[in-house]
């Protein structure tokens, strides 16, 4: 039996919309797993030291990017924030940040609760922490009551996925990247090859017909799914945590795919977990292999 904490219909304002270092859109999986880890730490400190969140998944019900596209414009522009004037009355310099408002549901797999904790008591403890956490750098505006779910067969999984509809969930498609790179492409070419939309024209009986196609079917997107260390572990000057070794790292990007939850046949298709590859200095957010 798998134990799931469901946080339904989290309405989040001003979330970070950097889906990867190169694109904006749905927040990166590193942001969601980071928020889940922060929730676990807060619950551990609030009297639940035995609690461990092992995996998490996110489904998106609605999203609105803070962008603007004027009449006749080809590209969209980021809507920035109005920062306070500096001491001379001028506009201060700022870095453009992509933001979004969105509604998501989070599924968090956890180890079994201590016998001394009731389900109602646990849910109340979770609710006390929800507004204290930044969710993908955004602020929680509203949420539905958290629920505890037990998934032990196909029927209970179908009930869960029906409850999540209508929505889209993000799954990992690193398998497409791996296959393309085994055929000789480098990583960036493999990524762009799957994201490129090719427009072609064909002349039929004096009529020109246009078609638009991608390399494969599906709603494929680039996603940030971890980091790779580019320096040795050590102590950094003025680091916030004096007891933890630090290193410089770069973001990792792979392919993801949005699918509707009713297509999910196994719970692992919804859930992501963290993984450390010491040989290659990789800090990954990943799913179990699709054929596992």
């Amino acid at each position: 039996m798998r134990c799931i904490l469901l946080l339904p219909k989290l309405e989040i304002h001003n979330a970070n919309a950097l889906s990867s270092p190169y694109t904006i859109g749905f927040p990166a999986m590193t942001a969601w797993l980071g928020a889940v880890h922060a929730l676990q730490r807060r619950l551990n400190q609030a009297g639940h030291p035995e609690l461990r969140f092992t995996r998490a998944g996110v489904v998106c019900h609605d999203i609105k990017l803070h962008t603007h596209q004027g009449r006749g414009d080809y590209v969209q522009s980021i809507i920035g924030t109005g920062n306070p004037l500096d001491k001379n009355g001028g506009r201060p310099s700022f870095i453009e940040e992509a933001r979004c408002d969105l509604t998501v549901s989070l599924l968090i797999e956890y180890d079994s609760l201590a016998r001394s904790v009731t389900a109602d008591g646990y849910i109340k403890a979770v609710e006390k922490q929800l507004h204290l956490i930044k969710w993908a750098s955004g602020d929680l505006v509203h949420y539905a009551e958290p629920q505890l779910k037990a998934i032990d067969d196909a029927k209970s999984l179908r009930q869960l996925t029906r409850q999540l509809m209508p929505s889209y969930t993000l799954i990992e498609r690193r398998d497409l990247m791996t296959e393309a790179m085994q055929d000789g492409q480098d990583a960036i070419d493999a990524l762009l090859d799957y994201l490129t939309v090719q427009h072609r024209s064909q002349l039929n009986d004096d009529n020109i017909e246009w078609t638009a196609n991608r390399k494969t079917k599906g709603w494929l997107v680039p996603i940030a799914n971890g980091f790779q260390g580019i320096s040795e572990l050590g102590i950094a000057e003025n680091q916030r945590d004096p007891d933890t070794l630090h290193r410089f790292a770069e973001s990792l990007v792979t392919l993801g795919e949005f699918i509707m939850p009713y297509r999910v046949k196994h719970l692992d298709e919804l859930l992501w977990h963290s993984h450390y590859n010491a040989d290659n200095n990789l800090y990954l957010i990943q799913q179990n292999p699709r054929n596992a």
Side-chain angles (χ1 to χ4, degrees):
M1 183 179 68
R2 311 277 290 274
C3 300
I4 297 294
L5 167 64
L6 175 62
L7 304 179
K9 301 295 179 66
L10 303 179
E11 296 180 14
I12 301 170
H13 175 60
N14 270 349
N16 184 357
L18 282 175
S19 54
S20 78
Y22 323 111
T23 57
I24 68 171
F26 189 73
M29 288 307 303
T30 48
W32 297 114
L33 269 291
V36 169
H37 183 60
L39 177 60
Q40 176 197 296
R41 291 178 57 129
R42 285 184 171 274
L43 290 170
N44 292 156
Q45 296 170 3
H48 302 277
E50 78 292 339
L51 182 63
R52 292 292 180 270
F53 292 154
T54 56
R55 299 183 186 184
V58 58
V59 298
C60 182
H61 303 279
D62 184 43
I63 183 171
K64 181 180 180 181
L65 284 173
H66 293 185
T67 59
H68 173 73
Q69 186 174 21
R71 181 178 298 178
D73 291 348
Y74 180 73
V75 298
Q76 299 186 29
S77 302
I78 295 174
I79 299 176
T81 56
N83 298 325
L85 302 179
D86 60 24
K87 61 181 180 181
N88 298 320
R91 287 286 182 184
S93 60
F94 67 97
I95 300 174
E96 290 186 343
E97 296 179 338
R99 301 176 184 273
C100 63
D101 297 335
L102 72 168
T103 302
V104 300
S105 293
L106 289 179
L107 302 94
I108 305 173
E109 185 175 12
Y110 63 92
D111 295 335
S112 57
L113 300 176
R115 294 183 178 180
S116 59
V117 181
T118 64
D120 289 341
Y122 178 54
I123 288 177
K124 289 180 180 178
V126 171
E127 287 188 288
K128 288 181 180 180
Q129 304 298 330
L130 291 182
H131 280 291
L132 303 178
I133 296 174
K134 284 286 190 178
W135 299 93
S137 297
D139 299 313
L140 183 62
V141 177
H142 184 266
Y143 63 90
E145 183 179 357
Q147 303 172 25
L148 300 181
K149 300 285 186 179
I151 309 299
D152 52 9
D153 56 17
K155 180 180 179 180
S156 58
L157 178 61
R158 286 196 302 270
Q159 291 174 342
L160 174 63
T161 55
R162 282 199 299 267
Q163 183 178 351
L164 297 174
M165 292 292 292
S167 65
Y168 285 90
T169 185
L170 187 61
I171 65 173
E172 187 179 27
R173 293 309 308 271
R174 194 196 314 179
D175 56 306
L176 296 177
M177 294 280 293
T178 301
E179 181 181 345
M181 293 173 69
Q182 288 175 346
D183 291 338
Q185 288 185 304
D186 64 16
I188 191 65
D189 285 338
L191 184 76
L192 293 176
D193 202 23
Y194 279 103
L195 298 177
T196 301
V197 179
Q198 297 181 345
H199 297 269
R200 293 186 175 90
S201 62
Q202 185 174 355
L203 183 62
N204 291 324
D205 299 329
D206 297 330
N207 294 321
I208 299 177
E209 296 181 358
W210 285 89
T211 59
N213 297 288
R214 279 185 167 184
K215 183 176 180 179
T216 188
K217 295 181 179 180
W219 186 358
L220 298 177
V221 294
I223 56 169
N225 69 322
F227 303 91
Q228 181 172 30
I230 57 175
S231 69
E232 296 298 325
L233 288 170
I235 300 297
E237 185 177 357
N238 298 323
Q239 64 186 44
R240 288 186 294 177
D241 184 354
D243 301 321
T244 302
L245 296 177
H246 285 56
R247 76 182 342 154
F248 289 101
E250 291 182 335
S251 184
L252 297 174
V253 180
T254 190
L255 283 173
E257 181 181 0
F258 282 109
I259 65 171
M260 283 192 164
Y262 76 86
R263 293 176 53 191
V264 170
K265 303 302 181 185
H266 194 278
L267 185 60
D268 283 343
E269 296 179 48
L270 287 170
L271 301 178
W272 298 69
H273 63 275
S274 58
H275 172 71
Y276 174 51
N277 183 330
D279 294 335
N280 298 305
N281 297 330
L282 296 176
Y283 302 83
L284 298 172
I285 304 297
Q286 64 182 23
Q287 291 186 310
N288 287 338
R290 292 169 62 85
N291 57 356

